[in-house]
Amino acid sequence: MAKVMLGGKEVEVDEDGFIQEPDLWDQNVAIDLAKTEGVQDMGEKHWKLVNYIREYYQKFGIAPMVRKLCKDCDLKLKEIYEMFPSGPAKGACKVAGLPKPTGCV
Amino acid sequence: MKKNKLTLKDMSTASGQLVELKQEEFMKLPNPYDTPEAQPPLKSLSDEVREKFECDLDGFMAIKIIRPKSREEEERLVNKFLDGLRKLLSKENNWTFFMPLMLSLEYCAKCQTCSDACPIYVSSGKNEVYRPTFRSEALRSIVDKYIRKKGSLYLKMTGNEIELNWKMVARLAELAYRCTLCRRCAQTCPIGVDNGLITHELRKLFSQELGIAPEEIHAKGSVQHLQKGSSTGMIKQAFADTLEFLEDDIEEKIGRRITMPIDKKGAEILLIHNAGEYLSWPENPSAFAIIFDAAGVDYTLSSEIVGYDAVNYGLWYDDFQLARVALKHAQIAKDLGVKKIVVGECGHAHKAISVIADRILIGDLNIPRESCIPILEDIVVNEKIKLDPRKNNFPVTLHDPCNMVRLMGIVEPQRRILRKIAPRFREMEPHGVENYCCGGGSGFAIMPSLNFPDWRSGVSARMKFKQILDAFQDVIDPSIKKMVCAPCSNCKGAIRDLLAYYNAWEKTGIAYTGLVEFIVNAMVDVKEPYIEWPEF
């Protein structure tokens, strides 16, 4: 674990860059996390996806299933990969401030 | 770094990284990956990571052991290792695997028949550190010198005069995670020595005595499974939400609403899926629901915590965790009053609950446990649902999960299914009990941190990739879409990452899915294709 500056504050991240204190997440943190994922510009679609993931996580404690994510955000998986090159789990969820996915996913 | 031939002594004496992997020495892959340019590079660990963690084996890291700060700390850990080793070697403390461990430690004739059977050793270009007997010999040497206190003449003659220090212990910990426990070595050994078991016992020692295990399989794995209900972190409410979504999704796909039965008392079968399926491959549990509904199977799912996740990661590294999860699974089945537990498409869960847990489940907890595969075979082969094989008219090959074939002998049922419904099914070679691991066995598929996935796709899954490519050489053109059938969540995860690592969909048109998906895809009553191909 290491402390890094994200969105103007010190946040602990794991070795793969996932934040460890989900409560510290805000939009500015997300913008900086996106940069670590090679996403320079968070557009409207990016936010829609990230906010959806965030809300689901706050309700259920995990990331939404990819199928549900695509359906509810009206996105194809391909489009998610275009927006977040590492994909929904390693890219979009990281930007949404979720911890690294666990289990056989 | 060791330049000359590696010896056991180097484990305790060499400074820095013990071996360096050279991609040009790796086993060659078939077309279109037969050039050096087609090999994705292996990522190196950063200096920061190297400084902080023990990674002096091969430059890759499966467990994150923080480097001890002092000599005293190192000594304390070495002594704990010895304590743990004594426990492994005593009947009272290791009643689960004491006898096979003793036999495997005693009787290796060092004939090396096992080496060529090991996909990791062969794929790496026969790197000595991955030789199946190298790890076992290291442990044997420690036992001879420090537990059995053999004299120095004996140790010299056997070449086993090694030093037990922290370097040795830290490297052994990592080395215990360079074997997928596929046990192909044990199968080929003329006298049944089981190097996979020795690796497993080493992992156990590290977890149970030193608290050292990859966080993905322990802290975020079996611990989370027991606390939250699933190693995925899926809590009960999330499971309910997921099933609701799947029922809607099925209706949309097949035009008919199917209820997924939950907590139905007295059902014949308790069906438990690997919960990773719900999140990453929901079409798999959905396909089970469609098939079981059509065939009139009396079953239920459980919404109890642990009851909706079939995984049992303890199988790979810790007997206590294994027992805790297995007991919970059995208790849930007992409370529901089902006749048997049926495990979905998850190899290690098959082995954990059906075979290994048998000695833990006593009295009325010893409820019959079965694989889903023969039940599916009965439905397909005896035509309990209407199927049209022409709907699966694309090349298909079958991956055999080690735990199903080699460990449990479930070989023919999945083939009889595919022969019936996939006209262009072809075997990969070798297959059945001779199969090769997907490369993600024993937890590797779910360990995505730092550069370990590169090692997995580049080395431990290399043989599987070769087999897949070989099976499809006659149709390797990417315009011909083809499928690998992998009836196991872990195998699917490893194969997914493997295909992505080599950009295989674009280059060769190879995709993957489970087994039940083929059945639903062939169902006459399901009008639209059920199998989905990658979009890019």
Side-chain angles (χ1 to χ4, degrees):
Chain A
M1 306 289 170
K3 293 256 187 196
V4 293
M5 288 300 284
L6 292 168
K9 52 183 149 186
E10 237 186 19
V11 186
E12 195 162 290
V13 296
D14 72 5
E15 292 74 32
D16 301 293
F18 286 80
I19 67 166
Q20 299 300 294
E21 301 147 294
D23 296 343
L24 290 181
W25 186 91
D26 61 24
Q27 289 217 339
N28 291 328
V29 171
I31 289 168
D32 279 357
L33 280 169
K35 285 178 190 153
T36 69
E37 281 295 301
V39 181
Q40 297 307 323
D41 189 19
M42 287 282 289
E44 197 186 317
K45 270 188 171 178
H46 290 85
W47 283 118
K48 188 178 163 194
L49 182 64
V50 162
N51 287 331
Y52 176 83
I53 293 172
R54 182 91 202 149
E55 277 161 31
Y56 192 92
Y57 175 70
Q58 281 171 335
K59 200 163 166 194
F60 293 115
I62 49 165
M65 51 207 288
V66 175
R67 201 178 185 86
K68 190 175 165 72
L69 182 75
C70 291
K71 219 173 193 174
D72 291 353
C73 293
D74 195 21
L75 286 166
K76 287 205 161 101
L77 187 56
K78 187 181 175 177
E79 292 175 280
I80 298 180
Y81 271 93
E82 280 161 8
M83 290 156 63
F84 295 97
S86 324
K90 289 183 192 127
C93 289
K94 185 194 274 185
V95 176
L98 273 59
K100 198 157 42 190
T102 60
C104 298
V105 293
Chain B
M1 196 93 50
K2 243 343 245 183
K3 293 275 184 251
N4 304 320
K5 193 177 180 306
L6 188 73
T7 64
L8 285 180
K9 270 188 183 168
D10 298 323
M11 287 280 280
S12 42
T13 57
S15 57
Q17 192 179 316
L18 189 64
V19 296
E20 178 91 41
L21 300 193
K22 296 192 183 77
Q23 280 184 293
E24 61 273 20
E25 290 174 2
F26 288 2
M27 180 190 70
K28 296 276 175 289
L29 288 172
N31 171 50
Y33 296 93
D34 46 355
T35 60
E37 304 79 60
Q39 314 299 313
L42 300 168
K43 279 192 283 295
S44 301
L45 294 170
S46 68
D47 290 345
E48 200 187 344
V49 168
R50 281 171 186 272
E51 203 176 301
K52 190 169 171 190
F53 299 106
E54 291 290 348
C55 48
D56 292 339
L57 184 75
D58 54 3
F60 293 86
M61 192 164 60
I63 326 171
K64 297 182 183 108
I65 307 173
I66 295 178
R67 292 189 189 273
K69 299 274 183 294
S70 63
R71 260 296 149 86
E72 292 72 44
E73 175 69 0
E74 287 185 1
E75 267 171 35
R76 191 185 66 82
L77 290 164
V78 171
N79 286 331
K80 283 203 105 175
F81 177 88
L82 267 180
D83 288 343
L85 189 54
R86 284 188 199 100
K87 287 186 187 167
L88 279 189
L89 301 175
S90 78
K91 217 186 267 179
E92 297 70 31
N93 287 301
N94 190 13
W95 60 273
T96 43
F97 295 101
F98 172 75
M99 189 54 87
L101 174 64
M102 293 311 280
L103 292 172
S104 288
L105 281 177
E106 287 293 338
Y107 291 109
C108 175
K110 303 172 187 58
C111 70
Q112 300 305 337
T113 309
C114 57
S115 301
D116 286 339
C118 172
I120 293 176
Y121 175 66
V122 173
S123 294
S124 71
K126 307 200 172 183
N127 196 314
E128 188 63 19
V129 78
Y130 301 140
R131 188 189 283 279
T133 54
F134 186 82
R135 181 187 304 105
S136 307
E137 275 299 291
L139 191 66
R140 228 170 250 132
S141 309
I142 296 167
V143 172
D144 279 349
K145 183 167 173 181
Y146 293 90
I147 306 281
R148 294 186 179 143
K149 314 266 189 205
K150 301 260 180 158
S152 64
L153 183 64
Y154 173 88
L155 296 172
K156 268 200 184 101
M157 282 171 65
T158 52
N160 285 358
E161 213 188 5
I162 48 91
E163 202 63 45
L164 179 63
N165 55 15
W166 173 243
K167 273 183 187 178
M168 166 68 94
V169 172
R171 283 176 175 143
L172 263 182
E174 273 296 320
L175 196 51
Y177 288 88
R178 294 298 183 279
C179 157
T180 67
L181 311 182
C182 82
R183 297 174 73 229
R184 223 173 168 268
C185 56
Q187 177 174 263
T188 201
C189 175
I191 49 176
V193 167
D194 191 341
N195 291 299
L197 178 89
I198 292 177
T199 309
H200 172 266
E201 295 298 284
L202 250 181
R203 290 183 180 192
K204 229 167 82 176
L205 189 170
F206 278 110
S207 177
Q208 295 178 188
E209 198 66 24
L210 288 94
I212 290 175
E215 62 172 351
E216 294 91 342
I217 65 174
H218 182 65
K220 303 278 174 65
S222 63
V223 173
Q224 184 162 247
H225 191 189
L226 289 159
Q227 279 173 355
K228 290 190 181 169
S230 164
S231 58
T232 59
M234 189 193 270
I235 52 173
K236 276 182 85 149
Q237 294 87 323
F239 178 65
D241 180 69
T242 300
L243 289 193
E244 202 184 303
F245 173 81
L246 290 187
E247 288 178 348
D248 291 345
D249 196 52
I250 291 172
E251 187 173 6
E252 214 169 281
K253 264 193 127 166
I254 71 167
R256 199 156 56 84
R257 187 138 189 113
I258 285 173
T259 309
M260 294 168 112
I262 306 168
D263 304 326
K264 191 174 127 190
K265 292 235 172 200
E268 188 171 324
I269 289 169
L270 167 63
L271 174 66
I272 318 184
H273 294 295
N274 178 323
E277 299 283 357
Y278 294 109
L279 296 173
S280 294
W281 303 282
E283 60 281 2
N284 186 279
S286 290
F288 269 96
I290 296 167
I291 297 166
F292 280 13
D293 177 78
V297 175
D298 177 23
Y299 81 105
T300 186
L301 304 170
S302 163
S303 73
E304 263 310 301
I305 69 163
V306 184
Y308 49 85
D309 196 348
V311 305
N312 194 339
Y313 296 167
L315 179 80
W316 302 322
Y317 78 104
D318 191 305
D319 286 349
F320 293 96
Q321 294 296 83
L322 168 97
R324 288 180 180 121
V325 169
L327 287 169
K328 187 87 181 127
H329 282 149
Q331 188 63 49
I332 289 166
K334 188 188 152 196
D335 293 346
L336 282 169
V338 296
K339 292 202 179 69
K340 59 188 173 191
I341 297 173
V342 169
V343 184
E345 295 184 13
C346 175
H348 89 273
H350 267 67
K351 182 186 176 188
I353 192 82
S354 311
V355 183
I356 305 298
D358 199 57
R359 293 169 68 193
I360 304 163
L361 305 178
I362 48 169
D364 55 4
L365 276 183
N366 202 300
I367 292 156
R369 287 94 56 203
E370 277 182 21
S371 162
C372 63
I373 311 275
I375 295 170
L376 295 167
E377 179 201 9
D378 174 50
I379 293 171
V380 171
V381 175
N382 296 322
E383 298 181 2
K384 296 193 171 161
I385 52 178
K386 258 194 258 165
L387 298 162
D388 179 358
R390 288 173 299 182
K391 294 171 82 175
N392 283 327
N393 190 22
F394 45 84
V396 177
T397 192
L398 173 66
H399 162 69
D400 283 310
C402 298
N403 287 307
M404 289 184 192
V405 289
R406 192 156 34 253
L407 280 301
M408 293 177 68
I410 306 166
V411 177
E412 274 301 304
Q414 58 271 48
R415 293 181 156 72
R416 285 195 280 264
I417 292 171
L418 284 179
R419 283 185 211 119
K420 181 110 181 162
I421 60 169
R424 297 172 73 185
F425 165 57
R426 73 267 310 280
E427 292 280 9
M428 52 177 94
E429 297 299 336
H431 57 263
V433 295
E434 303 276 330
N435 83 319
Y436 280 110
C437 172
C438 63
S442 78
F444 291 2
I446 61 159
M447 288 157 56
S449 192
L450 296 167
N451 63 357
F452 195 69
D454 283 14
W455 184 84
R456 188 211 312 143
S457 290
V459 182
S460 70
R462 193 176 192 82
M463 190 64 88
K464 183 50 58 181
F465 194 43
K466 178 182 185 301
Q467 283 194 289
I468 293 171
L469 292 169
D470 281 339
F472 288 134
Q473 271 305 311
D474 61 323
V475 286
I476 203 74
D477 190 283
S479 67
I480 307 168
K481 294 191 290 185
K482 41 213 167 271
M483 265 303 169
V484 179
C485 169
C488 165
S489 322
N490 262 263
C491 302
K492 274 194 297 202
I495 291 171
R496 171 194 59 200
D497 292 359
L498 176 68
L499 296 177
Y501 182 76
Y502 288 100
N503 200 11
W505 171 247
E506 284 194 354
K507 279 188 155 175
T508 61
I510 299 173
Y512 75 97
T513 190
L515 177 63
V516 281
E517 291 84 342
F518 288 90
I519 302 174
V520 178
N521 203 50
M523 280 174 72
V524 173
D525 291 342
V526 175
K527 302 290 174 232
E528 295 294 319
Y530 188 78
I531 286 182
E532 288 173 8
W533 297 86
E535 297 162 63
F536 54 99

